[in-house]
């Protein structure tokens, strides 16, 4: 599965981007792109990704859910708090 990672670098008590992308890859998925700007989220439906992974806390997940609502790209949550 090709994923787009919506990454909040301030969540996860110091976890690095490499650690998070490694977890996703170990689960058998591809991290096609990483975005940090919520304005880019609605464009993922045209980017050829199968899902968006929101990695962060409640605010990160809420931003991603709001941006993707009504679209065709599903949202997966990697709760990092």
């Amino acid at each position: 599965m090709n994923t787009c990672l919506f990454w909040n670098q301030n969540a996860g008590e110091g976890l690095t981007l490499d650690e998070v992308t490694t977890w996703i890859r170990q689960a058998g998925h591809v991290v096609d792109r990483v975005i940090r700007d919520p304005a880019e989220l609605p464009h993922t439906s045209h980017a050829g990704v199968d899902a968006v992974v929101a990695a962060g806390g409640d605010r990160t997940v809420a931003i991603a859910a709001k941006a993707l609502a009504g679209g065709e790209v599903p949202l997966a949550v990697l709760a990092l708090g």
Side-chain angles (χ1 to χ4, degrees), residues 5-55:
L5 176 61
F6 178 49
W7 166 248
N8 179 349
Q9 64 187 10
N10 297 318
E13 299 180 7
L15 290 171
T16 66
L17 180 59
D18 286 337
E19 289 173 307
V20 173
T21 56
T22 295
W23 291 344
I24 295 169
R25 289 183 181 119
Q26 287 175 340
H29 308 293
V30 174
V31 178
D32 187 59
R33 65 189 273 209
V34 176
I35 59 174
R36 294 177 177 89
D37 182 357
E40 294 180 43
L41 283 168
H43 304 290
T44 58
S45 62
H46 305 294
V49 297
D50 299 309
V52 170
V53 178

Side-chain angles (χ1 to χ4, degrees), residues 24 27-28 40 42 55 59-60 66:
I24 295 169
E40 294 180 43
R59 184 171 179 269
T60 302
K66 183 177 179 181

